[in-house]
Amino acid sequence: MSWIGTDLGLYRPCVGTYRSFPVGELPALPDHLFDGTFSWLVPGEVRASMGVDPLPEALRHQVPAAFAAFFDRPELQQAVPSCTGCYWDVSASVIPGPFGNGDRLVRILADSQDCVLWYLHILSDGTHQVVAAGERYGDDEPLPPVAQLNSALTLVADDFERFLYRFWVENTAWFEAVSEERDERNFSPAVRDYLAALPKVFSTADEAPTELCADPLAEFFAELAADEHGDEHNVEASES
């Protein structure tokens, strides 16, 4: 499983807009908070909010209840920031899944330039996970063959709430640690706890790399597919 994230300043460099990070090497998430209510996500003014995108009625009875509940609360959607201009982008209907056994995809989130798009992957047994790709699927976009779709998708989180928490805390951390250059003593509690598990890569006297890559990640996803084909990161392998 690989997380697709940005740089976190002194705590995690990233030469490029996004990079793949093995989830096992990232800070552990506070699993005790995840009960489907999203109580850890406090509505309020937020930097670079991802906005609001209502859940289409056609999807209401085809997605997990917690997922539907989140999208029924615009104040929660607005409480999630993005340092790369991501926005909520829910597909109008379900998309046939990569396993071809009744599983399906729902697009949920897109980068401002479609560099990365994230999808809810609803498995045939009713459970779900979150995957990402460098291509837009759904609505009027053509869908590739199942085998090609499977190789294009990367598993990033075990479920929607865990995906959302890591996305929220990492983007909040970027604003606090990189954009605002806060001293760690002034981090918000969630950011402080998360970054405490990441050793600083640079001393405070060094400069972290600031170069951003304008490439729409085609090379990144090609390398990811080549490196991870057939192992636990591949979406196909996650079902077996």
Side-chain angles (χ1 to χ4, degrees):
M1 189 186 306
S2 295
W3 181 253
I4 298 171
T6 64
D7 80 286
L8 293 176
L10 301 176
Y11 297 88
R12 189 178 72 196
C14 176
V15 182
T17 307
Y18 296 101
R19 216 190 106 193
S20 171
F21 302 95
V23 169
E25 297 178 7
L26 299 182
L29 299 181
D31 287 345
H32 65 283
L33 296 179
F34 305 144
D35 58 5
T37 66
F38 307 95
S39 58
W40 48 267
L41 186 57
V42 180
E45 187 174 345
V46 64
R47 297 154 297 239
S49 169
M50 294 204 300
V52 175
D53 191 17
L55 184 71
E57 284 302 317
L59 291 178
R60 184 161 300 280
H61 300 296
Q62 302 189 62
V63 296
F67 180 84
F70 175 82
F71 280 93
D72 281 343
R73 297 183 61 185
E75 74 278 12
L76 292 186
Q77 292 185 59
Q78 291 174 323
V80 182
S82 171
C83 64
T84 55
C86 292
Y87 61 98
W88 297 116
D89 182 32
V90 183
S91 55
S93 58
V94 295
I95 306 160
F99 298 154
N101 64 355
D103 64 318
R104 48 208 191 278
L105 298 169
V106 174
R107 192 181 62 252
I108 57 177
L109 175 65
D111 169 81
S112 59
Q113 299 181 37
D114 274 12
C115 291
V116 189
L117 299 101
W118 289 265
Y119 299 82
L120 190 73
H121 183 202
I122 305 170
L123 305 178
S124 58
D125 64 1
T127 60
H128 72 278
Q129 51 193 200
V130 177
V131 298
E135 298 289 339
R136 173 174 289 272
Y137 306 122
D139 303 336
D140 296 326
E141 300 295 329
L143 196 65
V146 166
Q148 182 180 338
L149 177 61
N150 178 65
S151 65
L153 295 171
T154 298
L155 177 63
V156 299
D158 288 328
D159 61 40
F160 175 68
E161 189 165 9
R162 285 170 175 79
F163 164 79
L164 185 63
Y165 186 93
R166 197 180 297 278
F167 189 95
W168 167 79
V169 75
E170 287 212 353
N171 279 271
T172 302
W174 186 91
F175 281 104
E176 294 185 9
V178 180
S179 179
E180 299 172 9
E181 299 182 332
R182 291 192 195 182
D183 183 276
E184 58 190 26
R185 293 170 296 181
N186 297 319
F187 288 158
S188 59
V191 168
R192 185 184 307 117
D193 291 345
Y194 191 82
L195 294 185
L198 290 173
K200 286 186 178 179
V201 179
F202 301 91
S203 72
T204 54
D206 294 330
E207 290 186 1
T210 56
E211 177 186 358
L212 291 181
C213 177
D215 187 289
L217 292 190
E219 182 178 350
F220 161 69
F221 278 104
E223 291 177 354
L224 189 66
D227 292 342
E228 299 175 350
H229 181 70
D231 67 16
E232 65 180 356
H233 301 83
N234 184 266
V235 177
E236 182 176 23
S238 71
E239 187 184 59
S240 60

PDB file of all heavy atoms in Angstrom, residues 48-82:
ATOM      1  N   ALA A  48      -7.407  27.135   2.133  1.00  0.00           N
ATOM      2  CA  ALA A  48      -7.486  26.382   0.876  1.00  0.00           C
ATOM      3  C   ALA A  48      -8.443  25.205   0.975  1.00  0.00           C
ATOM      4  O   ALA A  48      -8.097  24.058   0.701  1.00  0.00           O
ATOM      5  CB  ALA A  48      -6.103  25.919   0.445  1.00  0.00           C
ATOM      6  N   SER A  49      -9.681  25.493   1.367  1.00  0.00           N
ATOM      7  CA  SER A  49     -10.696  24.447   1.480  1.00  0.00           C
ATOM      8  C   SER A  49     -10.930  23.778   0.131  1.00  0.00           C
ATOM      9  O   SER A  49     -10.830  24.413  -0.928  1.00  0.00           O
ATOM     10  CB  SER A  49     -12.011  25.049   1.987  1.00  0.00           C
ATOM     11  OG  SER A  49     -13.076  24.133   1.861  1.00  0.00           O
ATOM     12  N   MET A  50     -11.256  22.497   0.167  1.00  0.00           N
ATOM     13  CA  MET A  50     -11.536  21.761  -1.065  1.00  0.00           C
ATOM     14  C   MET A  50     -12.972  21.963  -1.538  1.00  0.00           C
ATOM     15  O   MET A  50     -13.388  21.391  -2.540  1.00  0.00           O
ATOM     16  CB  MET A  50     -11.258  20.277  -0.868  1.00  0.00           C
ATOM     17  CG  MET A  50      -9.794  19.980  -0.634  1.00  0.00           C
ATOM     18  SD  MET A  50      -9.323  18.304  -1.068  1.00  0.00           S
ATOM     19  CE  MET A  50     -10.371  17.352   0.007  1.00  0.00           C
ATOM     20  N   GLY A  51     -13.732  22.787  -0.804  1.00  0.00           N
ATOM     21  CA  GLY A  51     -15.074  23.111  -1.244  1.00  0.00           C
ATOM     22  C   GLY A  51     -16.090  22.030  -0.932  1.00  0.00           C
ATOM     23  O   GLY A  51     -15.907  21.227  -0.022  1.00  0.00           O
ATOM     24  N   VAL A  52     -17.167  22.026  -1.715  1.00  0.00           N
ATOM     25  CA  VAL A  52     -18.289  21.121  -1.476  1.00  0.00           C
ATOM     26  C   VAL A  52     -18.731  20.496  -2.797  1.00  0.00           C
ATOM     27  O   VAL A  52     -18.750  21.163  -3.825  1.00  0.00           O
ATOM     28  CB  VAL A  52     -19.480  21.879  -0.846  1.00  0.00           C
ATOM     29  CG1 VAL A  52     -20.692  20.974  -0.711  1.00  0.00           C
ATOM     30  CG2 VAL A  52     -19.095  22.461   0.510  1.00  0.00           C
ATOM     31  N   ASP A  53     -19.066  19.221  -2.753  1.00  0.00           N
ATOM     32  CA  ASP A  53     -19.633  18.543  -3.914  1.00  0.00           C
ATOM     33  C   ASP A  53     -20.682  17.565  -3.399  1.00  0.00           C
ATOM     34  O   ASP A  53     -20.329  16.529  -2.834  1.00  0.00           O
ATOM     35  CB  ASP A  53     -18.565  17.805  -4.706  1.00  0.00           C
ATOM     36  CG  ASP A  53     -19.069  17.315  -6.056  1.00  0.00           C
ATOM     37  OD1 ASP A  53     -20.125  17.807  -6.507  1.00  0.00           O
ATOM     38  OD2 ASP A  53     -18.406  16.455  -6.668  1.00  0.00           O
ATOM     39  N   PRO A  54     -21.963  17.875  -3.548  1.00  0.00           N
ATOM     40  CA  PRO A  54     -23.013  17.005  -2.999  1.00  0.00           C
ATOM     41  C   PRO A  54     -22.970  15.599  -3.602  1.00  0.00           C
ATOM     42  O   PRO A  54     -22.564  15.411  -4.754  1.00  0.00           O
ATOM     43  CB  PRO A  54     -24.311  17.731  -3.393  1.00  0.00           C
ATOM     44  CG  PRO A  54     -23.896  19.138  -3.677  1.00  0.00           C
ATOM     45  CD  PRO A  54     -22.510  19.053  -4.221  1.00  0.00           C
ATOM     46  N   LEU A  55     -23.417  14.643  -2.813  1.00  0.00           N
ATOM     47  CA  LEU A  55     -23.475  13.263  -3.292  1.00  0.00           C
ATOM     48  C   LEU A  55     -24.659  13.099  -4.238  1.00  0.00           C
ATOM     49  O   LEU A  55     -25.797  13.387  -3.872  1.00  0.00           O
ATOM     50  CB  LEU A  55     -23.640  12.314  -2.097  1.00  0.00           C
ATOM     51  CG  LEU A  55     -23.632  10.815  -2.418  1.00  0.00           C
ATOM     52  CD1 LEU A  55     -22.227  10.381  -2.817  1.00  0.00           C
ATOM     53  CD2 LEU A  55     -24.108  10.018  -1.212  1.00  0.00           C
ATOM     54  N   PRO A  56     -24.427  12.649  -5.475  1.00  0.00           N
ATOM     55  CA  PRO A  56     -25.549  12.430  -6.397  1.00  0.00           C
ATOM     56  C   PRO A  56     -26.523  11.400  -5.827  1.00  0.00           C
ATOM     57  O   PRO A  56     -26.120  10.397  -5.230  1.00  0.00           O
ATOM     58  CB  PRO A  56     -24.860  11.903  -7.654  1.00  0.00           C
ATOM     59  CG  PRO A  56     -23.454  12.413  -7.565  1.00  0.00           C
ATOM     60  CD  PRO A  56     -23.123  12.393  -6.105  1.00  0.00           C
ATOM     61  N   GLU A  57     -27.796  11.634  -5.996  1.00  0.00           N
ATOM     62  CA  GLU A  57     -28.814  10.723  -5.463  1.00  0.00           C
ATOM     63  C   GLU A  57     -28.658   9.314  -6.027  1.00  0.00           C
ATOM     64  O   GLU A  57     -28.971   8.329  -5.351  1.00  0.00           O
ATOM     65  CB  GLU A  57     -30.214  11.266  -5.777  1.00  0.00           C
ATOM     66  CG  GLU A  57     -30.639  12.420  -4.894  1.00  0.00           C
ATOM     67  CD  GLU A  57     -30.625  12.051  -3.408  1.00  0.00           C
ATOM     68  OE1 GLU A  57     -31.085  10.939  -3.053  1.00  0.00           O
ATOM     69  OE2 GLU A  57     -30.131  12.859  -2.609  1.00  0.00           O
ATOM     70  N   ALA A  58     -28.161   9.212  -7.251  1.00  0.00           N
ATOM     71  CA  ALA A  58     -27.995   7.894  -7.865  1.00  0.00           C
ATOM     72  C   ALA A  58     -26.986   7.032  -7.118  1.00  0.00           C
ATOM     73  O   ALA A  58     -27.002   5.807  -7.222  1.00  0.00           O
ATOM     74  CB  ALA A  58     -27.547   8.054  -9.324  1.00  0.00           C
ATOM     75  N   LEU A  59     -26.123   7.681  -6.316  1.00  0.00           N
ATOM     76  CA  LEU A  59     -25.098   6.938  -5.588  1.00  0.00           C
ATOM     77  C   LEU A  59     -25.496   6.614  -4.154  1.00  0.00           C
ATOM     78  O   LEU A  59     -24.852   5.796  -3.499  1.00  0.00           O
ATOM     79  CB  LEU A  59     -23.793   7.755  -5.543  1.00  0.00           C
ATOM     80  CG  LEU A  59     -23.037   7.943  -6.842  1.00  0.00           C
ATOM     81  CD1 LEU A  59     -21.805   8.806  -6.602  1.00  0.00           C
ATOM     82  CD2 LEU A  59     -22.630   6.605  -7.436  1.00  0.00           C
ATOM     83  N   ARG A  60     -26.525   7.263  -3.658  1.00  0.00           N
ATOM     84  CA  ARG A  60     -26.812   7.233  -2.215  1.00  0.00           C
ATOM     85  C   ARG A  60     -26.901   5.823  -1.645  1.00  0.00           C
ATOM     86  O   ARG A  60     -26.404   5.561  -0.539  1.00  0.00           O
ATOM     87  CB  ARG A  60     -28.102   8.004  -1.929  1.00  0.00           C
ATOM     88  CG  ARG A  60     -28.435   8.099  -0.438  1.00  0.00           C
ATOM     89  CD  ARG A  60     -29.406   9.202  -0.169  1.00  0.00           C
ATOM     90  NE  ARG A  60     -28.885  10.488  -0.586  1.00  0.00           N
ATOM     91  CZ  ARG A  60     -28.025  11.218   0.122  1.00  0.00           C
ATOM     92  NH1 ARG A  60     -27.572  10.743   1.276  1.00  0.00           N
ATOM     93  NH2 ARG A  60     -27.612  12.365  -0.313  1.00  0.00           N
ATOM     94  N   HIS A  61     -27.512   4.917  -2.342  1.00  0.00           N
ATOM     95  CA  HIS A  61     -27.696   3.562  -1.809  1.00  0.00           C
ATOM     96  C   HIS A  61     -26.652   2.584  -2.356  1.00  0.00           C
ATOM     97  O   HIS A  61     -26.795   1.374  -2.192  1.00  0.00           O
ATOM     98  CB  HIS A  61     -29.101   3.073  -2.120  1.00  0.00           C
ATOM     99  CG  HIS A  61     -30.171   3.950  -1.521  1.00  0.00           C
ATOM    100  ND1 HIS A  61     -30.329   4.101  -0.165  1.00  0.00           N
ATOM    101  CD2 HIS A  61     -31.112   4.737  -2.116  1.00  0.00           C
ATOM    102  CE1 HIS A  61     -31.326   4.937   0.085  1.00  0.00           C
ATOM    103  NE2 HIS A  61     -31.817   5.336  -1.085  1.00  0.00           N
ATOM    104  N   GLN A  62     -25.624   3.122  -2.978  1.00  0.00           N
ATOM    105  CA  GLN A  62     -24.585   2.261  -3.532  1.00  0.00           C
ATOM    106  C   GLN A  62     -23.224   2.472  -2.871  1.00  0.00           C
ATOM    107  O   GLN A  62     -22.254   1.820  -3.243  1.00  0.00           O
ATOM    108  CB  GLN A  62     -24.443   2.509  -5.040  1.00  0.00           C
ATOM    109  CG  GLN A  62     -25.731   2.268  -5.818  1.00  0.00           C
ATOM    110  CD  GLN A  62     -25.498   2.320  -7.312  1.00  0.00           C
ATOM    111  OE1 GLN A  62     -24.752   1.518  -7.877  1.00  0.00           O
ATOM    112  NE2 GLN A  62     -26.129   3.262  -7.986  1.00  0.00           N
ATOM    113  N   VAL A  63     -23.163   3.374  -1.905  1.00  0.00           N
ATOM    114  CA  VAL A  63     -21.897   3.684  -1.237  1.00  0.00           C
ATOM    115  C   VAL A  63     -22.030   3.392   0.256  1.00  0.00           C
ATOM    116  O   VAL A  63     -23.147   3.309   0.789  1.00  0.00           O
ATOM    117  CB  VAL A  63     -21.503   5.159  -1.452  1.00  0.00           C
ATOM    118  CG1 VAL A  63     -21.245   5.434  -2.928  1.00  0.00           C
ATOM    119  CG2 VAL A  63     -22.569   6.098  -0.902  1.00  0.00           C
ATOM    120  N   PRO A  64     -20.933   3.225   0.978  1.00  0.00           N
ATOM    121  CA  PRO A  64     -21.002   2.991   2.429  1.00  0.00           C
ATOM    122  C   PRO A  64     -21.736   4.115   3.142  1.00  0.00           C
ATOM    123  O   PRO A  64     -21.657   5.289   2.745  1.00  0.00           O
ATOM    124  CB  PRO A  64     -19.524   2.947   2.834  1.00  0.00           C
ATOM    125  CG  PRO A  64     -18.799   2.550   1.592  1.00  0.00           C
ATOM    126  CD  PRO A  64     -19.550   3.179   0.466  1.00  0.00           C
ATOM    127  N   ALA A  65     -22.431   3.772   4.219  1.00  0.00           N
ATOM    128  CA  ALA A  65     -23.237   4.752   4.950  1.00  0.00           C
ATOM    129  C   ALA A  65     -22.395   5.909   5.470  1.00  0.00           C
ATOM    130  O   ALA A  65     -22.817   7.077   5.406  1.00  0.00           O
ATOM    131  CB  ALA A  65     -23.970   4.061   6.104  1.00  0.00           C
ATOM    132  N   ALA A  66     -21.202   5.618   5.991  1.00  0.00           N
ATOM    133  CA  ALA A  66     -20.350   6.683   6.526  1.00  0.00           C
ATOM    134  C   ALA A  66     -19.905   7.640   5.424  1.00  0.00           C
ATOM    135  O   ALA A  66     -19.817   8.853   5.641  1.00  0.00           O
ATOM    136  CB  ALA A  66     -19.129   6.085   7.221  1.00  0.00           C
ATOM    137  N   PHE A  67     -19.650   7.094   4.246  1.00  0.00           N
ATOM    138  CA  PHE A  67     -19.269   7.925   3.108  1.00  0.00           C
ATOM    139  C   PHE A  67     -20.413   8.860   2.735  1.00  0.00           C
ATOM    140  O   PHE A  67     -20.215  10.065   2.526  1.00  0.00           O
ATOM    141  CB  PHE A  67     -18.905   7.018   1.933  1.00  0.00           C
ATOM    142  CG  PHE A  67     -18.480   7.742   0.687  1.00  0.00           C
ATOM    143  CD1 PHE A  67     -17.177   8.163   0.525  1.00  0.00           C
ATOM    144  CD2 PHE A  67     -19.394   7.975  -0.340  1.00  0.00           C
ATOM    145  CE1 PHE A  67     -16.773   8.823  -0.637  1.00  0.00           C
ATOM    146  CE2 PHE A  67     -19.009   8.627  -1.493  1.00  0.00           C
ATOM    147  CZ  PHE A  67     -17.702   9.051  -1.647  1.00  0.00           C
ATOM    148  N   ALA A  68     -21.631   8.321   2.656  1.00  0.00           N
ATOM    149  CA  ALA A  68     -22.798   9.146   2.333  1.00  0.00           C
ATOM    150  C   ALA A  68     -23.032  10.207   3.403  1.00  0.00           C
ATOM    151  O   ALA A  68     -23.339  11.364   3.094  1.00  0.00           O
ATOM    152  CB  ALA A  68     -24.036   8.263   2.184  1.00  0.00           C
ATOM    153  N   ALA A  69     -22.855   9.834   4.672  1.00  0.00           N
ATOM    154  CA  ALA A  69     -23.060  10.780   5.770  1.00  0.00           C
ATOM    155  C   ALA A  69     -22.075  11.938   5.686  1.00  0.00           C
ATOM    156  O   ALA A  69     -22.433  13.096   5.956  1.00  0.00           O
ATOM    157  CB  ALA A  69     -22.924  10.059   7.110  1.00  0.00           C
ATOM    158  N   PHE A  70     -20.830  11.638   5.315  1.00  0.00           N
ATOM    159  CA  PHE A  70     -19.836  12.708   5.181  1.00  0.00           C
ATOM    160  C   PHE A  70     -20.246  13.691   4.097  1.00  0.00           C
ATOM    161  O   PHE A  70     -20.193  14.911   4.291  1.00  0.00           O
ATOM    162  CB  PHE A  70     -18.463  12.116   4.859  1.00  0.00           C
ATOM    163  CG  PHE A  70     -17.414  13.157   4.581  1.00  0.00           C
ATOM    164  CD1 PHE A  70     -16.755  13.780   5.616  1.00  0.00           C
ATOM    165  CD2 PHE A  70     -17.094  13.509   3.269  1.00  0.00           C
ATOM    166  CE1 PHE A  70     -15.794  14.754   5.368  1.00  0.00           C
ATOM    167  CE2 PHE A  70     -16.136  14.478   3.009  1.00  0.00           C
ATOM    168  CZ  PHE A  70     -15.491  15.097   4.064  1.00  0.00           C
ATOM    169  N   PHE A  71     -20.654  13.192   2.953  1.00  0.00           N
ATOM    170  CA  PHE A  71     -21.004  14.088   1.848  1.00  0.00           C
ATOM    171  C   PHE A  71     -22.350  14.777   2.040  1.00  0.00           C
ATOM    172  O   PHE A  71     -22.693  15.682   1.286  1.00  0.00           O
ATOM    173  CB  PHE A  71     -20.926  13.336   0.519  1.00  0.00           C
ATOM    174  CG  PHE A  71     -19.529  13.219   0.009  1.00  0.00           C
ATOM    175  CD1 PHE A  71     -18.769  12.099   0.306  1.00  0.00           C
ATOM    176  CD2 PHE A  71     -18.942  14.238  -0.716  1.00  0.00           C
ATOM    177  CE1 PHE A  71     -17.454  11.998  -0.131  1.00  0.00           C
ATOM    178  CE2 PHE A  71     -17.629  14.150  -1.157  1.00  0.00           C
ATOM    179  CZ  PHE A  71     -16.882  13.027  -0.861  1.00  0.00           C
ATOM    180  N   ASP A  72     -23.102  14.372   3.048  1.00  0.00           N
ATOM    181  CA  ASP A  72     -24.329  15.078   3.403  1.00  0.00           C
ATOM    182  C   ASP A  72     -24.057  16.257   4.325  1.00  0.00           C
ATOM    183  O   ASP A  72     -24.974  16.988   4.685  1.00  0.00           O
ATOM    184  CB  ASP A  72     -25.317  14.122   4.091  1.00  0.00           C
ATOM    185  CG  ASP A  72     -26.052  13.248   3.089  1.00  0.00           C
ATOM    186  OD1 ASP A  72     -26.054  13.591   1.885  1.00  0.00           O
ATOM    187  OD2 ASP A  72     -26.616  12.219   3.504  1.00  0.00           O
ATOM    188  N   ARG A  73     -22.787  16.425   4.720  1.00  0.00           N
ATOM    189  CA  ARG A  73     -22.433  17.514   5.640  1.00  0.00           C
ATOM    190  C   ARG A  73     -21.408  18.435   4.977  1.00  0.00           C
ATOM    191  O   ARG A  73     -20.200  18.221   5.054  1.00  0.00           O
ATOM    192  CB  ARG A  73     -21.881  16.938   6.941  1.00  0.00           C
ATOM    193  CG  ARG A  73     -22.896  16.099   7.700  1.00  0.00           C
ATOM    194  CD  ARG A  73     -22.314  15.612   9.014  1.00  0.00           C
ATOM    195  NE  ARG A  73     -21.952  16.710   9.898  1.00  0.00           N
ATOM    196  CZ  ARG A  73     -21.333  16.559  11.069  1.00  0.00           C
ATOM    197  NH1 ARG A  73     -21.014  15.342  11.490  1.00  0.00           N
ATOM    198  NH2 ARG A  73     -21.037  17.606  11.817  1.00  0.00           N
ATOM    199  N   PRO A  74     -21.886  19.474   4.307  1.00  0.00           N
ATOM    200  CA  PRO A  74     -20.973  20.381   3.600  1.00  0.00           C
ATOM    201  C   PRO A  74     -19.954  21.034   4.520  1.00  0.00           C
ATOM    202  O   PRO A  74     -18.839  21.348   4.086  1.00  0.00           O
ATOM    203  CB  PRO A  74     -21.911  21.424   2.968  1.00  0.00           C
ATOM    204  CG  PRO A  74     -23.207  21.278   3.692  1.00  0.00           C
ATOM    205  CD  PRO A  74     -23.298  19.857   4.100  1.00  0.00           C
ATOM    206  N   GLU A  75     -20.304  21.226   5.810  1.00  0.00           N
ATOM    207  CA  GLU A  75     -19.349  21.850   6.717  1.00  0.00           C
ATOM    208  C   GLU A  75     -18.128  20.960   6.949  1.00  0.00           C
ATOM    209  O   GLU A  75     -17.023  21.454   7.220  1.00  0.00           O
ATOM    210  CB  GLU A  75     -20.013  22.195   8.053  1.00  0.00           C
ATOM    211  CG  GLU A  75     -20.309  21.027   8.981  1.00  0.00           C
ATOM    212  CD  GLU A  75     -21.603  20.283   8.653  1.00  0.00           C
ATOM    213  OE1 GLU A  75     -22.161  20.529   7.562  1.00  0.00           O
ATOM    214  OE2 GLU A  75     -22.043  19.483   9.496  1.00  0.00           O
ATOM    215  N   LEU A  76     -18.311  19.623   6.839  1.00  0.00           N
ATOM    216  CA  LEU A  76     -17.175  18.722   6.970  1.00  0.00           C
ATOM    217  C   LEU A  76     -16.333  18.729   5.691  1.00  0.00           C
ATOM    218  O   LEU A  76     -15.097  18.726   5.753  1.00  0.00           O
ATOM    219  CB  LEU A  76     -17.647  17.301   7.279  1.00  0.00           C
ATOM    220  CG  LEU A  76     -18.282  17.068   8.645  1.00  0.00           C
ATOM    221  CD1 LEU A  76     -18.566  15.580   8.847  1.00  0.00           C
ATOM    222  CD2 LEU A  76     -17.389  17.587   9.777  1.00  0.00           C
ATOM    223  N   GLN A  77     -16.982  18.732   4.553  1.00  0.00           N
ATOM    224  CA  GLN A  77     -16.235  18.805   3.293  1.00  0.00           C
ATOM    225  C   GLN A  77     -15.363  20.055   3.247  1.00  0.00           C
ATOM    226  O   GLN A  77     -14.203  20.015   2.838  1.00  0.00           O
ATOM    227  CB  GLN A  77     -17.200  18.819   2.107  1.00  0.00           C
ATOM    228  CG  GLN A  77     -17.965  17.524   1.887  1.00  0.00           C
ATOM    229  CD  GLN A  77     -18.792  17.601   0.620  1.00  0.00           C
ATOM    230  OE1 GLN A  77     -18.282  17.804  -0.467  1.00  0.00           O
ATOM    231  NE2 GLN A  77     -20.094  17.442   0.774  1.00  0.00           N
ATOM    232  N   GLN A  78     -15.926  21.170   3.692  1.00  0.00           N
ATOM    233  CA  GLN A  78     -15.206  22.439   3.656  1.00  0.00           C
ATOM    234  C   GLN A  78     -14.075  22.502   4.672  1.00  0.00           C
ATOM    235  O   GLN A  78     -13.192  23.357   4.564  1.00  0.00           O
ATOM    236  CB  GLN A  78     -16.183  23.588   3.904  1.00  0.00           C
ATOM    237  CG  GLN A  78     -17.168  23.796   2.766  1.00  0.00           C
ATOM    238  CD  GLN A  78     -18.206  24.846   3.096  1.00  0.00           C
ATOM    239  OE1 GLN A  78     -18.658  24.958   4.233  1.00  0.00           O
ATOM    240  NE2 GLN A  78     -18.588  25.638   2.110  1.00  0.00           N
ATOM    241  N   ALA A  79     -14.080  21.604   5.643  1.00  0.00           N
ATOM    242  CA  ALA A  79     -13.052  21.615   6.693  1.00  0.00           C
ATOM    243  C   ALA A  79     -11.772  20.916   6.274  1.00  0.00           C
ATOM    244  O   ALA A  79     -10.811  20.873   7.045  1.00  0.00           O
ATOM    245  CB  ALA A  79     -13.603  20.972   7.964  1.00  0.00           C
ATOM    246  N   VAL A  80     -11.735  20.357   5.067  1.00  0.00           N
ATOM    247  CA  VAL A  80     -10.553  19.635   4.587  1.00  0.00           C
ATOM    248  C   VAL A  80      -9.765  20.552   3.642  1.00  0.00           C
ATOM    249  O   VAL A  80     -10.290  20.986   2.616  1.00  0.00           O
ATOM    250  CB  VAL A  80     -10.940  18.341   3.858  1.00  0.00           C
ATOM    251  CG1 VAL A  80      -9.695  17.585   3.416  1.00  0.00           C
ATOM    252  CG2 VAL A  80     -11.813  17.469   4.759  1.00  0.00           C
ATOM    253  N   PRO A  81      -8.502  20.844   3.979  1.00  0.00           N
ATOM    254  CA  PRO A  81      -7.687  21.706   3.127  1.00  0.00           C
ATOM    255  C   PRO A  81      -6.899  20.903   2.088  1.00  0.00           C
ATOM    256  O   PRO A  81      -6.756  19.692   2.199  1.00  0.00           O
ATOM    257  CB  PRO A  81      -6.730  22.355   4.123  1.00  0.00           C
ATOM    258  CG  PRO A  81      -6.481  21.253   5.121  1.00  0.00           C
ATOM    259  CD  PRO A  81      -7.792  20.493   5.223  1.00  0.00           C
ATOM    260  N   SER A  82      -6.390  21.596   1.100  1.00  0.00           N
ATOM    261  CA  SER A  82      -5.485  20.975   0.135  1.00  0.00           C
ATOM    262  C   SER A  82      -4.417  21.985  -0.249  1.00  0.00           C
ATOM    263  O   SER A  82      -4.730  23.099  -0.671  1.00  0.00           O
ATOM    264  CB  SER A  82      -6.227  20.520  -1.115  1.00  0.00           C
ATOM    265  OG  SER A  82      -5.297  20.116  -2.118  1.00  0.00           O
TER     266      SER A  82
END
